[in-house]
Amino acid sequence: MSGRQIDRRVLADVVLAAVVGALGMGVAAFDDGTDTLDLTLIGLASASLALHRAAPRAVLAAATVLGTAYVVHAHPGPLSALPVLGAVHTAARVGHRGLAAAASTVFLAGYVATGPGTQEVAERAGLLAGWFLCAVVTGLADRNWQAYLRQTEQRAQEAERTREEAALRRAGEERLRIARELHDSLTHSISIVKLQAGVAVHLARKRGEEVPSALLAIQEASGEAMRELRSALQVLRADEPAGTPALLVERARAAGLAVDLTVTGDERPLPRAVDRAAYRIVQEALTNAARHAGPAKVTVRIDYGAGGDGELTIDVDDDGAADPARPPVPGTGLTGMRERVTALGGTLLAAPRAEGGFAVRARLPLGETV
């Protein structure tokens, strides 16, 4: 959230507290017997509303105590409940339904106990009870609406990530298709041309004849075409990672995921297959955490082991919503991760943790045979 948005919220909270305080004091000024203590209680109860975002429970307690003290001392009208109503609504909106109901009961009990007449007190208490009920209900409705908006935003982000992944997958499949087409249609023909040119050159030299320059040009051009074609096919078939695990962590942080990275051991260049697998494992683990863990903290640990014949250890843990009692069904990502690790002779554990959350444990050998 930007500083400007925070400033606007603080200003709105201060304005709310000022309006409630001004209204309460204005009404109290027309009551006979209003003294300095009454105005002080109204002012403090109203001023506490300025902190309702930062400390809703403390504001609820302060407004209830001050508001109840005011009605016990001054026996005012129903509008004296405004600060407490605001605090009750805020508490219900952030999920403290029980505290909101308890505060409403305390204030109503104080109001009823000090009322000036049975019928009048009953009427005013009923009115206030309806107000407090509305405050709790609207707070809960606002809470549900905010949760719906967050879920909608998460679904939109998930759909965007899914579209990007599908586009990348289609691009990769198209590259492979083009590579196959080029290989099948061009490699064989160019190889025949080069072979035939080579045979013609060899026979001419064997017979002691001068080799035509056009024939030499064909032989050289066909060889160059083969080399360029092989380079193009390697690019099209490449599955190299576009960065490092550290870059993946930075991207995840920029997207709002709380991620810590720890690298231990003798960091050094890895065999290409191991480096590619490590990148994909961290990428898939962070993607799954962003999708399924909820507002969780993720820890990525990479250990390069000891010596050139050690093993690369990758641990990715989150404290999200995964439950050991309901293990996830392995999807394409987890399956691909396991296939990469197995192909390199390593081991992989990807499962919910006993203490909650999800853990990925990958062990990749770093020996010369990798």
Side-chain angles (χ1 to χ4, degrees):
M1 183 182 300
S2 65
R4 181 174 296 180
Q5 288 176 318
I6 294 176
D7 292 341
R8 287 178 178 176
R9 287 192 172 189
V10 171
L11 179 60
D13 295 342
V14 172
V15 170
L16 171 65
V19 170
V20 172
L23 185 60
M25 289 184 179
V27 173
F30 291 97
D31 290 340
D32 295 335
T34 299
D35 55 20
T36 304
L37 177 60
D38 297 330
L39 296 177
T40 301
L41 292 173
I42 295 173
L44 292 176
S46 301
S48 67
L49 294 177
L51 301 175
H52 71 89
R53 297 183 194 273
R57 287 184 293 185
V59 169
L60 178 65
T64 302
V65 171
L66 294 169
T68 303
Y70 171 55
V71 298
V72 169
H73 182 264
H75 315 299
L79 287 179
S80 61
L82 284 179
V84 186
L85 282 170
V88 166
H89 171 80
T90 300
R93 184 168 58 85
V94 297
H96 304 306
R97 293 172 295 181
L99 292 177
S104 303
T105 303
V106 169
F107 182 85
L108 288 173
Y111 191 88
V112 171
T114 59
T118 304
Q119 182 177 359
E120 184 179 2
V121 168
E123 292 175 353
R124 291 185 175 182
L127 176 63
L128 287 178
W131 286 4
F132 279 108
L133 180 61
C134 289
V136 173
V137 171
T138 55
L140 294 177
D142 188 27
R143 174 182 173 83
N144 293 334
W145 174 249
Q146 294 298 327
Y148 169 76
L149 291 180
R150 286 193 297 270
Q151 291 176 357
T152 302
E153 183 179 0
Q154 290 175 356
R155 285 196 295 267
Q157 293 174 350
E158 176 70 15
E160 181 65 23
R161 283 195 297 267
T162 302
R163 284 194 295 269
E164 291 177 355
E165 292 173 358
L168 290 174
R169 184 172 62 253
R170 286 194 298 268
E173 293 173 352
E174 182 64 13
R175 287 199 307 271
L176 291 176
R177 186 190 67 79
I178 294 173
R180 287 192 299 267
E181 291 293 334
L182 288 175
H183 180 273
D184 295 342
S185 62
L186 296 181
T187 304
H188 177 72
S189 299
I190 295 176
S191 298
I192 294 298
V193 170
K194 185 174 182 298
L195 178 61
Q196 294 293 337
V199 170
V201 170
H202 173 71
L203 292 177
R205 287 173 177 169
K206 185 177 181 180
R207 292 193 296 264
E209 300 174 354
E210 183 179 357
V211 180
S213 57
L215 192 58
L216 292 175
I218 292 173
Q219 184 182 36
E220 182 179 355
S222 60
E224 181 64 24
M226 285 295 297
R227 288 189 293 271
E228 292 181 358
L229 182 58
R230 290 194 185 98
S231 298
L233 293 178
Q234 288 177 357
V235 172
L236 289 172
R237 289 170 172 165
D239 187 25
E240 298 297 329
T244 64
L247 181 59
L248 288 174
V249 170
E250 290 301 323
R251 290 175 181 170
R253 288 172 180 165
L257 190 64
V259 189
D260 287 334
L261 173 64
T262 303
V263 179
T264 57
D266 182 17
E267 188 172 356
R268 56 194 181 275
L270 300 173
R272 188 175 62 178
V274 176
D275 187 47
R276 183 165 58 246
Y279 180 90
R280 296 307 185 194
I281 289 169
V282 175
Q283 182 183 48
E284 182 63 28
L286 291 178
T287 300
N288 287 340
R291 287 181 178 178
H292 308 300
K297 182 176 181 180
V298 185
T299 302
V300 180
R301 292 182 296 274
I302 301 177
D303 183 8
Y304 281 80
D309 294 328
E311 65 177 8
L312 181 71
T313 302
I314 302 172
D315 295 335
V316 183
D317 297 333
D318 68 65
D319 56 0
D323 186 355
R326 298 188 301 273
V329 178
T332 304
L334 288 179
T335 301
M337 190 189 305
R338 190 175 302 280
E339 290 175 351
R340 288 180 182 273
V341 173
T342 303
L344 295 172
T347 59
L348 177 73
L349 171 65
R353 303 190 303 170
E355 61 271 29
F358 200 81
V360 175
R361 306 272 188 270
R363 305 292 182 268
L364 301 174
L366 293 177
E368 294 298 326
T369 59
V370 176

